[in-house]
Amino acid sequence: MIGTSKRGKLNEIMTGLYCITSEEHSKGLSNIEVVEKMIKAGIKIIQYREKKKSLLEKYNECQKIRKMTLGSDVTFIVNDNIDIAMMVKADGVHIGQDDLPIEKVRELVGDEMIIGISTHSPKQAEDAVRRGADYIGVGPLYRTYTKEDVCEPVGLEYLDYVVKNIKLPYVAIGGIKEHNMDEVLARGARCIAMVTEIVGAEDIEKKIRTVKSKFSRGDL
């Protein structure tokens, strides 16, 4: 089954660039158009994050993206909307600290689906491990304006803690741009999420290639 194989390959999948949609920052392009460019540029994990559309609009977009990602062997994660993730048979769902408990999400989605959770402190990271998350988001490392309810930056020290102490796959996130990603990589991050830096680029595919080249010069 799709989810089972993707869960088993998470350490392999969670390396390099993790892309997240944000239509309000994509300079007139639709989420579908942006995802198409991400896939063409070789992105292997994409999260659909859309806060302001109706459930029906989000469902319809996720249906299309699921077909696109299936045809390209791209891991597809849906943010927050567990029901939509289940209906379109996404590979995973990403939740926040104020969403449903991980254990209850697992009861809903079963053993096939990946569950990721945002964390902002060592305590939350340890809690995610104990409660059965498959991967964690680590951040926001820098100030970010892509989410209205985001917490204050946690800084690179939290990333240091995760690199040294947490065995789960993780993605560094929050305000990461091409100009500061080198210091994130230097702290040991193997997977980095970018939002506006990618979706707001004049040439999305070119920007992805440039960012990916920085990974390839390191251990990735």
Side-chain angles (χ1 to χ4, degrees):
M1 295 185 180
I2 296 164
T4 302
S5 62
K6 290 294 178 72
R7 281 190 77 195
K9 296 179 179 178
L10 255 189
N11 279 311
E12 175 187 332
I13 293 167
M14 299 278 292
T15 59
L17 186 57
Y18 180 125
C19 281
I20 301 175
T21 65
S22 181
E23 194 167 274
E24 65 179 311
H25 298 101
S26 61
K27 297 185 175 178
L29 293 178
S30 70
N31 283 322
I32 304 302
E33 291 171 316
V34 168
V35 168
E36 185 176 27
K37 292 178 184 296
M38 289 173 175
I39 292 172
K40 282 184 178 178
I43 293 301
K44 289 302 178 185
I45 182 164
I46 296 172
Q47 182 189 129
Y48 177 86
R49 188 169 78 189
E50 183 59 65
K51 301 291 186 181
K52 297 183 178 179
K53 295 191 177 188
S54 70
L55 283 173
L56 181 58
E57 287 175 305
K58 289 192 278 189
Y59 168 73
N60 287 335
E61 286 191 337
C62 284
Q63 263 199 320
K64 292 176 183 176
I65 295 171
R66 171 72 289 191
K67 290 178 183 177
M68 294 162 69
T69 53
L70 268 181
S72 308
D73 194 31
V74 174
T75 300
F76 179 42
I77 307 291
V78 175
N79 182 272
D80 286 351
N81 293 107
I82 300 162
D83 48 357
I84 292 176
M86 293 170 67
M87 284 187 280
V88 304
K89 295 180 171 60
D91 295 303
V93 62
H94 188 95
I95 59 176
Q97 289 294 317
D98 295 326
D99 292 324
L100 294 173
I102 296 170
E103 299 89 345
K104 294 300 179 182
V105 176
R106 179 61 70 200
E107 287 180 17
L108 288 170
V109 304
D111 292 332
E112 300 172 21
M113 195 175 286
I114 296 163
I115 299 176
I117 184 168
S118 299
T119 67
H120 319 298
S121 69
K123 181 179 178 181
Q124 290 177 355
E126 299 287 358
D127 187 60
V129 173
R130 189 180 73 254
R131 296 171 67 187
D134 294 304
Y135 79 88
I136 61 171
V138 178
L141 300 186
Y142 306 98
R143 190 165 298 282
T144 178
Y145 300 96
T146 59
K147 292 176 69 178
E148 295 176 359
D149 57 347
V150 70
C151 66
E152 288 297 305
V154 297
L156 292 168
E157 293 75 20
Y158 175 43
L159 175 60
D160 291 340
Y161 177 87
V162 171
V163 170
K164 293 174 183 174
N165 298 285
I166 301 298
K167 301 305 181 186
L168 286 181
Y170 61 87
V171 55
I173 189 170
I176 302 174
K177 313 287 185 185
E178 184 184 343
H179 72 81
N180 62 18
M181 68 176 286
D182 285 341
E183 62 181 346
V184 179
L185 291 175
R187 307 298 270 256
R190 301 182 71 246
C191 184
I192 290 177
M194 289 185 176
V195 187
T196 56
E197 186 76 348
I198 302 301
V199 304
E202 293 298 328
D203 186 330
I204 290 174
E205 291 177 61
K206 182 179 179 181
K207 173 62 77 171
I208 288 172
R209 288 194 296 269
T210 301
V211 169
K212 285 174 71 177
S213 73
K214 292 200 169 196
F215 282 102
S216 64
R217 289 200 295 270
D219 295 330
L220 301 174

